[in-house]
Amino acid sequence: MSKYWLMKSEPGAYSIDDLEKDGQTFWDGVRNYQARNFMRDEMKVGDGVLFYHSNAAPPGVVGLAKVVREGYPDHTACDPNDIHYDPKASPTNPRWYMVDIEFEEKFSQILELSQLREVKELQKMVLLNRSRLSVQPVSPAEFKKIVRLARTTKK
């Protein structure tokens, strides 16, 4: 059974437009153990992803992706020239993991965080309660509600 996730990226670093252009990408640089564990242990091929622009004005869900490769060691942690380098990581003892995702859809407009906060069905969502986590689970009901909102909301 597929699971659902919300993955955050700052649009200046990697945006939904970048993913649409690239088609798919590896999701590197996650340096939080709980988010790492989700990618390493729980994300499976075919899982749905809400693509979220963080540190944006305004922040919010901007599109959909899906997981196309399950967790594997994040090679950027072993590259001293990479901004995600971790001197405690090594190829034989990886500390950090990543997954590959593939573009599915860009919403016609951003579904803003402030809008999500107003939706009764989303009040228990991780995003609204522990929003700092960069990779987080989303319930099937939350995922469906957000997709429905994004496809019906007009600016």
Side-chain angles (χ1 to χ4, degrees), residues 95-119:
R95 288 176 58 134
W96 305 109
Y97 281 72
M98 59 186 172
V99 297
D100 290 357
I101 63 169
E102 181 176 85
F103 175 82
E104 286 202 324
E105 176 182 346
K106 178 181 175 183
F107 296 147
S108 61
Q109 65 171 13
I110 187 170
L111 190 55
E112 297 179 19
L113 177 61
S114 61
Q115 293 172 272
L116 299 176
R117 290 190 186 285
E118 296 172 8
V119 179

Side-chain angles (χ1 to χ4, degrees), residues 119-135:
V119 179
K120 179 183 172 198
E121 298 92 336
L122 302 177
Q123 293 310 300
K124 293 184 180 177
M125 191 172 180
V126 173
L127 176 68
L128 304 181
N129 295 288
R130 289 187 311 220
S131 65
R132 296 184 61 112
L133 202 54
S134 63
V135 175

Side-chain angles (χ1 to χ4, degrees), residues 2 5 52 55 67 82 84 87 96 125 141 147-148 152:
S2 290
W5 307 94
Y52 184 92
N55 249 357
V67 176
D82 194 280
H84 301 122
W96 305 109
M125 191 172 180
V147 170
R148 208 170 337 164
T152 59

Side-chain angles (χ1 to χ4, degrees), residues 21-151:
K21 179 178 60 87
D22 295 343
Q24 71 178 51
T25 193
F26 52 84
W27 203 260
D28 66 327
V30 173
R31 298 297 182 262
N32 171 282
Y33 287 107
Q34 187 175 13
R36 185 246 0 232
N37 293 348
F38 288 140
M39 293 193 302
R40 184 189 67 195
D41 303 333
E42 296 188 41
M43 295 178 101
K44 302 295 178 199
V45 171
D47 284 358
V49 174
L50 297 171
F51 197 107
Y52 184 92
H53 280 173
S54 63
N55 249 357
V61 180
V62 293
L64 300 174
K66 69 178 175 183
V67 176
V68 294
R69 183 177 175 190
E70 295 175 12
Y72 60 100
D74 182 343
H75 63 270
T76 66
C78 298
D79 180 354
N81 297 316
D82 194 280
I83 61 170
H84 301 122
Y85 176 64
D86 181 347
K88 294 180 181 176
S90 72
T92 56
N93 185 27
R95 288 176 58 134
W96 305 109
Y97 281 72
M98 59 186 172
V99 297
D100 290 357
I101 63 169
E102 181 176 85
F103 175 82
E104 286 202 324
E105 176 182 346
K106 178 181 175 183
F107 296 147
S108 61
Q109 65 171 13
I110 187 170
L111 190 55
E112 297 179 19
L113 177 61
S114 61
Q115 293 172 272
L116 299 176
R117 290 190 186 285
E118 296 172 8
V119 179
K120 179 183 172 198
E121 298 92 336
L122 302 177
Q123 293 310 300
K124 293 184 180 177
M125 191 172 180
V126 173
L127 176 68
L128 304 181
N129 295 288
R130 289 187 311 220
S131 65
R132 296 184 61 112
L133 202 54
S134 63
V135 175
Q136 52 191 254
V138 175
S139 76
E142 293 164 346
F143 186 87
K144 290 174 188 164
K145 181 68 175 180
I146 288 173
V147 170
R148 208 170 337 164
L149 285 170
R151 291 180 178 160

